[in-house]
Structure formats: structure tokens, C-alpha cells
Amino acid sequence: MDANTNGQLDDAPMDVDGQETQIVPARGHRPPSPPAVPPLRAQSEPFQVVNEFTVGYVYSQEMLLHASVHGHPEQPDRITRIFEAILGAKLIPKMKQIPIRPVYRKEALLVHTEEHWDKVLAIQSMTAQDITDSDSYYESLSLYVMNGTTRAARLSCGGVIEACLKVAQGHLKKTFAIVRPPGHHAEPDEHMGFCFFNNVAVAAKVVQLCTRIKRILILDWDVHHGNGTQRAFNDDPTVLYISIHRYERGQFYPCGPFGGLDSCGEGPGLGYSVNVPWPTKGMTDADYIHAFQQIVMPIALEFAPELVIISAGFDAADGDDLGECHVSPAGYAHMTHMLASLAGGKMVVALEGGYNLDSISNSALAVARTLLGDAPPELPPMMASEAGTETVWHVALEQSKYWKNINPKACEPREEMDEITFSIPEILKGHRQHFMYSQYKMLQVPLMPAYEERYGSQVMCTNDLLENETVVLFVHEFGNLRVELDGSPMCNVSMEHSYLIDFSKDLIAWVKGEEYALADVNLFPRPFPASALPTLRPKAAENPARDLLTYIWDNYIQ
């Protein structure tokens, strides 16, 4: 007998499924060939390494090195409180920690100038006297600095880059970058507004350069406009930047017209910057979700991003004294949930602002739960404010120039004061009726109820309509209303410089001079249900003006 390579004998009894099988030859006969043995069947599935995590996070205590000795809203406790809240909710074990590293020079230069890079790096070499002497300069930029600032800023930016790459490369589905200092105010050539490097903008550029992902949506719900982020992509059609922020006619930080609703990008990027500029403080969940439903999601669906990055400032949260708005943790969870439906669920949440420690930690926790797959908490019945609906409507009017999914009619504000208000057309109709009677003794033509409802007081005639052999039928709408505004930011009408140009005065004077009869028909209608108009012809309700003229011709002129 020969031994096999495993040290076992070839003619040794075979053990199949734990049972020995021996072959005993009959005397004088050659041993028969052993029966064919079927291939061994595996007792269980082969061992496979299962990817345990689909959600990751970035966090490092090194970012606590950036701290003001005098106290400042942008304080280290912002990220420690968020991390402790997520840890206390026992969510950290469900998330994969992503190693953090500082942003590289070549990465930062994808967005920032070389002078800007050198300026931020120089901070780490400043002496105590240098820091003191430059305090007023940095204060004018809404910044503070210390030797640890450079390291923290580089880690914050590098952390967001790593969070984005892990999702873009398919290692994780979603990530949360718990980083500071924030970044969305940092412009290509300037640090400002608590920000040194534009974390999200740099990360988006790196993703586009190093992966197959090209179309990126950046949704910025920080209460301040992300001027630096929009500036980085203002002419870039591959990045859709949407910001919901307090604006207040350009008086709220960072101030100026950049970030207004008509700030929509430039060149090939025109239409790829979308701003929802709240005109006042106090905006709520209802306002934000209304903006999401009418502006954010329709545009995002049409853009079809391959990656979603949220510039997640929580300073619009209820309780934040800088933001003075009232978005709840549940509100942030719902917005996150809606965005998670895009890009196949590939999402990165990068911390920006937020300065009330309780508000920021509770809001961030709600977002983390949503990233892990929890359903958003139930919201109570709510309705967007008048300021919110007006703003969203104006944004829809602007963005409908660029996006087919935007329907301004769908978000036109409802009139809530019908009983005590008069529309401009109604005022002008009343003026015209008085003018025609007082100047020319013209009377209102009786109409049947269906027409009276929509055109009442708009059909006038001279008292000789039925006797005069010559009748002039004058059909029109209004004249040209010329309105001058006090200023485009306010849109208030300058009453003394606004007027109506009405050619009909001269025409009516000529008709009277020729002693003709006159029927004056104003076809500017009141809205009414199409079914209210009686007609014998199919689809006649589609042209009510034609039906009115036919009625007048048949009953008063012919």
C-alpha cells in the first residue's frame, strides 16, 4: 500500500459522513471495484467575511486643540457633546470609525489659492505676541486663532475628505463627519466666519478627481449662507449647491447679495446654485419641509446626484441664539430621510455650525439615528408660515427658469385675508365703472347669473345701445399698469410714482363725438369653476370670453 500526500493510505477504509465502509473480497474472486462515491456535500455554507458596517463616522480629540482662551461660540465642546450623545445612545458600536488625517496641500489647492494655504499654515508658527497683535484682524473676519488652529483645521478638512471617499469608493453607504472648525464660509482666497478650509468643497473636488462619481449634490441647511461653497462651484454644472438660510435682504451674515434667491450661478453653472433665503428669524420645521417638498427634492430628482453631501449646521435648531429659528431634531431627521432617497442612499453628513450644545447634540443624534436606518419621528400637524410660503414661491418662480420639475403654481401662497382685501383688478374695475357712469352716463349691462359671477360690472353700455344704428363694441382687458418699486430687496410699491395707462379714454371720447352707441366689455375675469358656465357646445367652457361675447351679441346687439 502506498501512502497518499496527506499521509493516509490509499486502501484505507473510507469515512463518509462519519461512517466507515469496508470492502471484503470473496474467496477466489478478484475484489470488485468500489461503488462510485458521490462528491462530498458541504455541511454548511462556506465562510464569508460579511461587511459588518454600512455607516461610518469621523471624530478625533485632536480637533479640540482649536480653542479660544476668551470663550467663543465655536468651542471644542460642540463635537464632544455630539460624540457623547451618539455614544450614550449606544450607536457608536453600530458605526465604523474612519481614521482621520490632515488635508494635503494638493487637495486644498483644488479649491483654495496657494496664498490661502500658506496663510493658514502660518498660524501654527505664531507667537503669543503675534496672536495678541492680530486679534483685531481675525476678529474682523469672525475668527480666532491659536497654535492648534492649523492642525485642527487640516484634520477637519481631511476628515470630511475621508468620510466622502469611503462612501464614494463603496466601502460604506453613509458617513457622519463630526468635525470642527466648520468650513462653508471659507472662500477660495479667504478664511472667515469660524472657517479656515472649505471642508465640503475640497472633499467634493477630491471625490470627483479620485473616483467615478461626478455629479454631487451639496445641501446646506446651516442657518447662514455657505458663501464659500457656492463660490467654489458657482460656474460648475457638476455640483448642485442648495442652501436654506436666513438672508433678511442681505443683512444677515455673511451679508450682501450673494445668497439671494436670484444668485443662481454663472456661466455653465447658471441654475446650479439654489438659494432659499428666509426673510426673517423664527422659521420652523414646517417652513423647512415645505422648502424641501417644493424646491429641494424636485430639483435634486431632476439633477440625479451620484453622491449627497449635507453641510449640516445645526444653528437653525430650536434654542440656538445665533440662528433664532425653531427646527426640531425630528425636522432634521425628516430632511435627512428625504435626502437619503437620492444617489442610491450614498450620503455624507459633515458638521458645520450650531452653537447651543443641547440643540446641536440632540439634532445630530436624530440625524445619526436616521443614517442608521431608523424611521424619522412623527411630526405633529403643521403649516408653513406666510414668510416661508412667500419665499418658497419666489424661489420657485426663479428656479423654474432652469428646472422643469419646479412648478410655481403648486406653491403659490394662499390668500388668507379674502374677506378684508381687494385685489388690484377689482379696484381698477370699480374705478372704471364709476368713471364710465360719471363721465358718459354709461350703465351696467345685465348678465345671466353665471356670467355675472365672473364678469359682473365689466360690461357697460351707453343708454342708446338698442336704438342707435351704429354700435361700437370695444373689447379689452386692462391698460398698462406701471409700477415703480421703492427698492428691489423690499418690493414695496412707490404709490406716487405708479399709474395706469388707459387708451380707452380717447376712444370713448371719439365714439361719443361721433354719436355712436358703445358697448364696453372688460374681459379680465374673476376665477370660477369651469362647470359654472352653462353652454350647449362641447368644451365651450375652455373659452369663456368667447361665450360672453356671443351672449352679448345675441341678446343686445343683433
Side-chain angles (χ1 to χ4, degrees), residues 510-528:
W510 173 80
V511 171
K512 295 295 291 184
E514 295 293 326
E515 297 184 350
Y516 298 149
L518 173 65
D520 182 272
V521 183
N522 182 348
L523 289 180
F524 192 91
R526 299 187 188 96
F528 78 116

Side-chain angles (χ1 to χ4, degrees), residues 4 15 59 136 219 221 267 277 306 313 367 369 461 528 531 540 557:
N4 61 25
D15 185 358
Y59 176 77
S136 59
L219 187 285
W221 67 41
E306 298 169 288
V367 168
R369 290 187 188 277
C461 70
F528 78 116
S531 60
I557 298 177

Side-chain angles (χ1 to χ4, degrees), residues 338-488:
M338 283 187 271
L339 292 170
S341 67
L342 303 167
K346 295 189 290 294
M347 175 187 291
V348 178
V349 178
L351 183 64
E352 296 285 0
Y355 308 101
N356 179 297
L357 298 181
D358 291 331
S359 300
I360 193 174
S361 55
N362 292 333
S363 300
L365 175 59
V367 168
R369 290 187 188 277
T370 306
L371 293 179
L372 286 164
D374 287 4
E378 183 178 354
L379 287 170
M382 58 188 181
M383 184 173 63
S385 66
E386 182 179 353
T389 53
E390 284 282 346
T391 301
V392 167
W393 179 50
H394 285 292
V395 173
L397 289 171
E398 183 68 28
Q399 291 300 324
S400 62
K401 302 173 185 177
Y402 314 109
W403 301 98
K404 296 178 181 178
N405 275 359
I406 295 298
N407 180 12
K409 280 288 185 182
C411 46
E412 187 171 358
R414 295 180 180 178
E415 183 58 67
E416 299 178 358
M417 303 173 65
D418 287 340
E419 295 182 0
I420 59 172
T421 59
F422 297 93
S423 67
I424 296 297
E426 290 303 310
I427 294 173
L428 294 177
K429 289 173 187 177
H431 161 74
R432 184 176 182 81
Q433 185 182 27
H434 172 74
F435 172 78
M436 302 284 267
Y437 174 75
S438 60
Q439 294 293 320
Y440 302 110
K441 304 303 179 182
M442 293 180 66
L443 304 173
Q444 181 175 336
V445 174
L447 302 174
M448 62 186 299
Y451 295 116
E452 184 70 32
E453 180 182 355
R454 200 170 200 200
Y455 296 102
S457 78
Q458 293 177 220
V459 182
M460 306 281 289
C461 70
T462 54
N463 55 14
D464 60 345
L465 177 66
L466 301 178
E467 294 84 19
N468 201 312
E469 293 183 356
T470 304
V471 176
V472 175
L473 180 62
F474 180 35
V475 181
H476 60 91
E477 289 192 347
F478 285 116
N480 293 324
L481 188 62
R482 301 293 175 87
V483 177
E484 183 174 315
L485 302 179
D486 284 334
S488 57

Side-chain angles (χ1 to χ4, degrees), residues 303-326:
F303 178 70
E306 298 169 288
L307 175 67
V308 176
I309 305 175
I310 303 177
S311 274
F314 294 108
D315 40 6
D318 188 32
D320 193 295
D321 293 336
L322 286 182
E324 298 181 287
C325 288
H326 305 292

